[in-house]
Amino acid sequence: MSLSMRDPVIPGTSMAYHPFLPHRAPDFAMSAVLGHQPPFFPALTLPPNGAAALSLPGALAKPIMDQLVGAAETGIPFSSLGPQAHLRSLKTMEPEEEVEDDPKVHLEAKELWDQFHKRGTEMVITKSGRRMFPPFKVRCSGLDKKAKYILLMDIIAADDCRYKFHNSRWMVAGKADPEMPKRMYIHPDSPATGEQWMSKVVTFHKLKLTNNISDKHGFTLAFPSDHATWQGNYSFGTQTILNSMHKYQPRFHIVRANDILKLPYSTFRTYLFPETEFIAVTAYQNDKITQLKIDNNPFAKGFRDTGNGRREKRKQLTLQSMRVFDERHKKENGTSDESSSEQAAFNSFAQSSSPAVSTVGTSNIKDLCPSEGESDTEAESKEEHGLEACDTAKISTTTSEEPCRDKGSPAAKAHLFAAEPSGRPRDSGRLDKASPDSRHSPATISSSTRGLGAEERRSPGRESAVTAKAEEARALPSKEAFAPLTVQTDAAAHLGQGPLPGLGFAPGLAGQQFFNGHPLFLHPGQFAMGGAFSSMAAGMGPLLATVSGASTGVSGLDSSAMASAAAGASAATLPFHLQQHVLASQGLAMSPFGSLFPYPYTYMAAAAAASSAAASSSVHRHPFLNLNAMRPRLRYSPYSIPVPMPDSSSLLTTALPSMAAAAGPLDGKAATLAASPASVAVDSGSELNSRSSTLSSSSVSLSPKLCGEKESATSELQSIQRLVSGLEAKPDRSRSVSP
DNA sequence: TCTCTCACTTC
DNA sequence: TGAAGTGAGAG
């Protein structure tokens, strides 16, 4: 147990979870090394606070190191990667006005999650949307009481495999289907002060899971940025679209910002809790999971043995299977028999599964998941624990604390799954394989951004990352729109953090997100959330403008108009997403900005960008650039400093366009690294200048392949910058906002 | 596998 | 009281 479950994951680590990462990572790393190495490394090396920091850096660095060395797994400590002195110098550049915060996040009801995880958590997805159970709840600490934060959650693919429940176990059944467009769920109370967030348990129970591709619950908001986290293509919504029989990993993000509009420029601190990993299903596969749900979910009381009505039916059914029945009894009695039996089964699964896994042969070894090897007893005990207990538990995992081990590594991924398997089989195989790593990695994760964040702050730049489109492969047609997007990422860094934030989440995180790359859409509901969006409209104006280039305020425009305008203005920016979706290289077609507005899928011209292809990658960058431009405005915000960040990010993106996508996680790291340098420049200099400088620099660093893109991107960026500069002249309300 | 309806529950 | 969340079960 100790393993993974408790610890939060660091952003960087998240990479590990990403299916694509493995593929991308290499490229990314290479490019990073080749072109950006100097800059990147420093960034990466940022020493995090303690363990947490380690985890991230390690995760990030590892891929790169591997590339360099050509060895899959070097044991090189991330600390050895780069000079920290460098970072510090950068750090000095950062503004320090802000009160530093060191957010820590604890997963609530961890015990409950563990119980499910052991058996391989399954979450039902329906056309109309189904809530998660257990509900995702966290408790935050270490926030600046006065500052405002936006808390978000999203769910990313844990690997690139498709699963099947066979012989009581989850086994890999092939390669994953194309990813569905990802959506970010913004907590309805956002933005709120640190004090407010820390005073209560933050729950995301309203988030629904669906397999309905045409789900409209998500609103698209155009986000100009290429924030790593957002990958340039991220939508917001109250419902997350998932593929059945695929494994997913929920992520929690803390963004210090007082306005949603600032998200793109802000630093994301991402936290992963391996125990919350689950497989999406349209119908429960594992009876044990079903029983756990019934036993713990209040709405399923009617199915409890003790309950009325149905329970009897259920019982009968149950009786049919002795095992199940027995297990229940045990539960009722409070005995662990069930669990033990389960465990046994589980173990067997693991074993069996492992082979299966291996057979799978997908790139994801991780899928195989290392089994955590939890003892049956543990599992049992956990199982028996009621949800409530879990809930109360809050936290165990703080993100920051644990260093992330290798989350990034596949093994780590395996871990996560493994945990699941525990209960069941499915992954057991993986578990076994990965076991060593996996455990660690997952666990480690915890720190995620946060730890980084602190550090990051210190080091101004780090972050940016890159990403690349990469995904193309993944990109799917249906989702295609998204897929293509792939964008870069990294951003994390760039954003906000100027100083610190970048770190945190950055690399890893960015990477994670990136793969998803979708267009960013804001979900109406989310907006509804309130405060966060309140200013959005106003804020959007600037963004749009930046994106579009000149378009005057977006606000007036309807989404479509906006989009078109944006497209026209800065073709570069939008394109990617749009391209995919729309086709039009320009993205115009895309939907309007609904985000702010009522429209449902608006695209952000800028945001979009995500184009899938490398070319697109370049484009992405542009968007970023815009963002960067924006930043200055944003400065007000703590992150504003981020200005540099954006730059860096842009740089990264430009530099490693293709990679970015692939790299996802890596990107993040890379980005951070790259970013740092860039950021530095930014900080010191004017935003615009910094940007351009960054851009140029990025281009320089770019690898040969990227060069072409770079150039185009650069030109685009420049144009964008010009536009931006023009825009900048305009006042930004958002600036004032910053916490 | 997935979709839909049902009876039951919580809020 | 009704809206909404549950798993079961049929198709």
Side-chain angles (χ1 to χ4, degrees):
Chain A
M1 308 278 342
S2 51
L3 340 151
S4 48
M5 333 262 314
R6 323 144 176 225
D7 313 27
V9 175
I10 294 173
T13 46
S14 62
M15 296 176 63
Y17 300 94
H18 196 282
F20 308 116
L21 289 179
H23 306 299
R24 296 177 182 177
D27 294 344
F28 172 76
M30 292 302 289
S31 61
V33 171
L34 298 175
H36 303 280
Q37 184 170 17
F40 283 112
F41 282 87
L44 292 177
T45 53
L46 294 180
N49 301 335
L54 290 176
S55 57
L56 242 183
L60 295 177
K62 188 172 184 178
I64 294 173
M65 293 305 294
D66 291 349
Q67 288 295 340
L68 294 175
V69 175
E73 298 191 357
T74 64
I76 300 172
F78 108 105
S79 60
S80 65
L81 293 178
Q84 297 180 346
H86 209 52
L87 295 176
R88 291 182 181 170
S89 62
L90 293 176
K91 184 178 181 180
T92 59
M93 307 197 60
E94 300 175 357
E96 298 182 3
E97 329 128 316
E98 305 172 3
V99 174
E100 287 193 10
D101 55 8
D102 184 23
K104 294 190 176 178
V105 180
H106 294 276
L107 176 66
E108 293 281 324
K110 177 178 168 39
E111 293 179 3
L112 183 60
W113 277 106
D114 286 341
Q115 291 181 42
F116 278 91
H117 194 233
K118 287 183 178 179
R119 296 169 178 68
T121 309
E122 295 174 21
M123 294 288 179
V124 171
I125 55 177
T126 66
K127 192 171 183 179
S128 61
R130 202 84 154 186
R131 290 183 178 182
M132 288 177 62
F133 190 87
F136 189 86
K137 299 179 181 179
V138 298
R139 185 177 290 281
C140 302
S141 60
L143 300 174
D144 179 342
K145 292 182 178 179
K146 304 289 185 182
K148 284 196 172 182
Y149 296 86
I150 291 174
L151 304 190
L152 312 89
M153 171 182 175
D154 67 352
I155 297 174
I156 61 173
D159 58 40
D160 57 356
C161 293
R162 180 186 180 79
Y163 292 82
K164 65 178 177 182
F165 193 72
H166 184 65
N167 291 334
S168 300
R169 354 190 137 156
W170 281 106
M171 302 171 74
V172 174
K175 189 154 184 106
D177 293 337
E179 275 194 55
M180 305 306 270
K182 303 283 183 194
R183 283 180 180 167
M184 273 277 190
Y185 174 77
I186 300 175
H187 193 285
D189 294 342
S190 300
T193 63
E195 184 171 19
Q196 292 175 310
W197 289 122
M198 293 188 287
S199 68
K200 63 186 178 184
V201 171
V202 180
T203 67
F204 290 89
H205 64 279
K206 289 186 178 178
L207 172 63
K208 290 186 176 182
L209 311 181
T210 182
N211 58 350
N212 185 5
I213 300 175
S214 60
D215 174 72
K216 307 286 184 185
H217 285 74
F219 274 70
T220 64
L221 168 35
F223 253 91
S225 84
D226 54 332
H227 190 294
T229 301
W230 306 76
Q231 292 272 337
N233 300 307
Y234 234 95
S235 61
F236 293 79
T238 55
Q239 292 203 3
T240 293
I241 304 171
L242 305 177
N243 283 320
S244 181
M245 310 308 274
H246 287 64
K247 189 178 293 186
Y248 292 94
Q249 172 65 60
R251 296 190 305 183
F252 172 62
H253 311 276
I254 295 177
V255 180
R256 185 170 172 166
N258 57 5
D259 191 304
I260 290 177
L261 292 176
K262 294 180 180 179
L263 283 175
Y265 316 97
S266 303
T267 298
F268 278 62
R269 290 173 173 163
T270 301
Y271 303 81
L272 296 185
F273 299 92
E275 57 268 59
T276 60
E277 180 185 56
F278 66 86
I279 289 182
V281 299
T282 54
Y284 288 119
Q285 305 294 308
N286 186 341
D287 291 342
K288 294 188 176 182
I289 291 298
T290 303
Q291 191 60 51
L292 274 174
K293 298 260 187 178
I294 291 171
D295 292 342
N296 296 288
N297 191 326
F299 288 104
K301 245 181 181 176
F303 298 101
R304 295 180 186 173
D305 292 349
T306 57
N308 299 328
R310 291 191 179 184
R311 70 165 172 192
E312 290 184 0
K313 291 182 179 179
R314 187 168 187 298
K315 265 193 173 183
Q316 293 176 351
L317 295 176
T318 329
L319 291 175
Q320 292 179 351
S321 75
M322 293 298 291
R323 293 179 58 183
V324 174
F325 183 80
D326 291 347
E327 291 177 352
R328 284 187 184 177
H329 260 317
K330 292 177 181 179
K331 289 182 179 180
E332 292 178 354
N333 293 337
T335 62
S336 62
D337 294 353
E338 282 186 5
S339 62
S340 62
S341 66
E342 291 179 355
Q343 292 176 344
F346 178 70
N347 293 339
S348 64
F349 288 125
Q351 295 174 348
S352 65
S353 64
S354 52
V357 174
S358 61
T359 56
V360 173
T362 57
S363 59
N364 319 326
I365 295 171
K366 46 183 162 191
D367 293 348
L368 302 182
C369 300
S371 60
E372 291 176 352
E374 296 175 356
S375 66
D376 294 349
T377 58
E378 289 179 353
E380 292 179 353
S381 63
K382 291 179 180 178
E383 290 178 355
E384 294 189 356
H385 297 298
L387 295 179
E388 298 118 5
C390 297
D391 293 344
T392 56
K394 35 204 113 228
I395 359 221
S396 46
T397 36
T398 325
T399 47
S400 53
E401 305 156 60
E402 304 164 346
C404 11
R405 319 167 164 150
D406 313 324
K407 256 183 178 184
S409 69
K413 294 179 182 178
H415 250 348
L416 298 179
F417 288 137
E420 299 176 358
S422 63
R424 103 209 47 6
R426 67 124 121 334
D427 309 87
S428 54
R430 312 174 190 161
L431 296 178
D432 295 342
K433 297 175 180 179
S435 59
D437 297 353
S438 63
R439 294 181 181 177
H440 304 313
S441 41
T444 35
I445 325 157
S446 58
S447 57
S448 73
T449 47
R450 137 164 139 346
L452 298 177
E455 295 175 357
E456 290 176 357
R457 294 176 181 178
R458 297 173 184 174
S459 62
R462 78 188 66 326
E463 23 279 357
S464 50
V466 170
T467 63
K469 52 142 3 22
E471 306 237 348
E472 22 195 83
R474 295 187 145 268
L476 325 172
S478 59
K479 317 174 164 202
E480 43 193 91
F482 312 81
L485 305 181
T486 35
V487 179
Q488 86 149 46
T489 58
D490 107 36
H494 58 308
L495 325 174
Q497 62 231 303
L500 19 149
L503 294 165
F505 92 152
L509 298 179
Q512 297 174 352
Q513 295 177 349
F514 62 62
F515 51 65
N516 292 333
H518 325 286
L520 305 176
F521 307 81
L522 288 186
H523 202 275
Q526 293 180 345
F527 292 137
M529 310 193 136
F533 291 96
S534 62
S535 38
M536 290 198 64
M540 289 303 287
L543 292 175
L544 293 176
T546 55
V547 171
S548 62
S551 60
T552 59
V554 173
S555 61
L557 305 175
D558 64 82
S559 60
S560 62
M562 292 293 295
S564 62
S570 58
T573 58
L574 322 177
F576 303 94
H577 314 354
L578 299 181
Q579 288 175 351
Q580 295 177 346
H581 298 288
V582 180
L583 292 184
S585 55
Q586 313 280 359
L588 304 179
M590 327 142 101
S591 44
F593 271 98
S595 50
L596 298 182
F597 323 100
Y599 300 87
Y601 306 92
T602 36
Y603 279 95
M604 295 239 10
S611 63
S612 48
S616 63
S617 65
S618 64
V619 174
H620 289 307
R621 299 165 187 174
H622 295 295
F624 297 112
L625 293 178
N626 291 336
L627 294 176
N628 293 338
M630 297 301 289
R631 282 198 179 180
R633 301 173 184 173
L634 296 181
R635 290 188 176 184
Y636 4 73
S637 65
Y639 315 99
S640 37
I641 300 170
V643 172
M645 298 300 293
D647 296 348
S648 64
S649 64
S650 64
L651 292 175
L652 294 175
T653 56
T654 56
L656 309 175
S658 63
M659 311 183 45
L666 296 179
D667 303 4
K669 298 172 183 179
T672 54
L673 296 177
S676 59
S679 64
V680 172
V682 172
D683 294 350
S684 63
S686 66
E687 296 172 355
L688 295 176
N689 295 339
S690 64
R691 297 176 198 162
S692 51
S693 65
T694 56
L695 293 174
S696 63
S697 66
S698 65
S699 62
V700 172
S701 59
L702 297 178
S703 63
K705 352 171 169 180
L706 299 180
C707 293
E709 291 179 355
K710 262 194 325 183
E711 293 177 358
S712 64
T714 303
S715 63
E716 289 179 344
L717 292 174
Q718 292 177 347
S719 62
I720 293 170
Q721 290 179 343
R722 293 170 189 166
L723 292 175
V724 172
S725 15
L727 293 175
E728 287 182 353
K730 299 177 182 180
D732 244 22
R733 92 184 200 21
S734 61
R735 293 178 181 177
S736 60
V737 180
S738 70

